[in-house]
Amino acid sequence: MSLKKCQTYNLPRINDPRGNLTFVEANRHIPFDIRRVYYLYDVPGGAERGGHAHKALHQLIIAMSGSFDIHLDDGYAKKTIHLNRSYNGLYVCPMIWREIDNFSSGAVCMVLASDYYDENDYYRDYALFINDVKRVAE
Ligand code: TYD
C-alpha cells in the first residue's frame, strides 16, 4: 500500500546557539528531484487546504512555522500526521488523497514538489480518485 511509503523524515539539523539550521538535498534526504517550491501562509483559523490527490507528483511537506494536521488516504487506509517541527518533512508519494487542517496561528506550510504545477496531474474528485485506485489494483 502506498500509504506505507508516506513517512515523516528527520531532516539534518545543525544546532547552534545563534539559531538552528536544516537543509534538504534532492535524492539524498528525499527520494525525488525538486522542481518547485510553494507555501501556504496567512491561513485563517478553521480553513482546510488540499482536498486532492496527485497522479505522479512526489512532495515533501514541512511545517516551517507553527503546526497543522495532514490527513492521508490511499483508498484503502487512512492516517493523520501532525507536523510541528521545521526539521521534519512528511513525504507524500503519488496517488494519495490529502487534506490539511488545524492550522495554528501563523503556520507556514512549505511543500517541495518533484515537478512544475500541472492541473492535469490532479484528482480533485474523490470518487474519481478511488475509482482509479481500484482499477489499478485489479
Ligand atoms: P491547490 O493545489 O488546489 O491548493 P490547495 O490544495 O492547498 O487548496 O492550488 C490552489 C490554486 O493555486 C489553484 O488554482 C492552482 C494554483 N496553484 C498554482 O498556480 N501553482 C502551484 O504551484 C500550486 C500548488 C497551486
Side-chain angles (χ1 to χ4, degrees), residues 71-125:
H71 309 279
L72 302 177
D73 174 356
D74 67 1
Y76 294 95
K78 300 180 184 194
K79 69 179 175 187
T80 295
I81 311 284
H82 182 69
L83 284 183
N84 62 354
R85 299 281 178 222
S86 39
Y87 54 81
N88 282 156
L90 174 65
Y91 168 61
V92 181
C93 66
M95 297 303 286
I96 300 288
W97 189 268
R98 90 287 312 274
E99 284 162 17
I100 312 177
D101 62 12
N102 195 25
F103 286 89
S104 69
S105 166
V108 178
C109 170
M110 184 175 77
V111 183
L112 311 182
S114 63
D115 214 339
Y116 304 124
Y117 170 72
D118 177 7
E119 187 61 34
N120 292 321
D121 187 62
Y122 279 75
Y123 289 97
R124 293 201 182 269
D125 180 325

Side-chain angles (χ1 to χ4, degrees), residues 1 4 7-8 14 33 57 72 83 106-107 114 119 127 133 135:
M1 272 191 315
K4 290 206 173 114
Q7 299 292 338
T8 304
I14 313 291
D33 274 327
L57 195 72
L72 302 177
L83 284 183
S114 63
E119 187 61 34
V133 166
R135 196 165 48 82

Side-chain angles (χ1 to χ4, degrees), residues 36 38 40 48-52 54 100 117 119 122 124:
R36 175 167 53 112
Y38 66 91
L40 303 169
E48 294 175 13
R49 302 293 313 223
H52 65 253
H54 286 282
I100 312 177
Y117 170 72
E119 187 61 34
Y122 279 75
R124 293 201 182 269

Side-chain angles (χ1 to χ4, degrees), residues 6 51 53 59 64 76-77 88 103 134:
C6 299
Q59 297 187 303
M64 296 301 285
Y76 294 95
N88 282 156
F103 286 89
K134 307 284 174 184

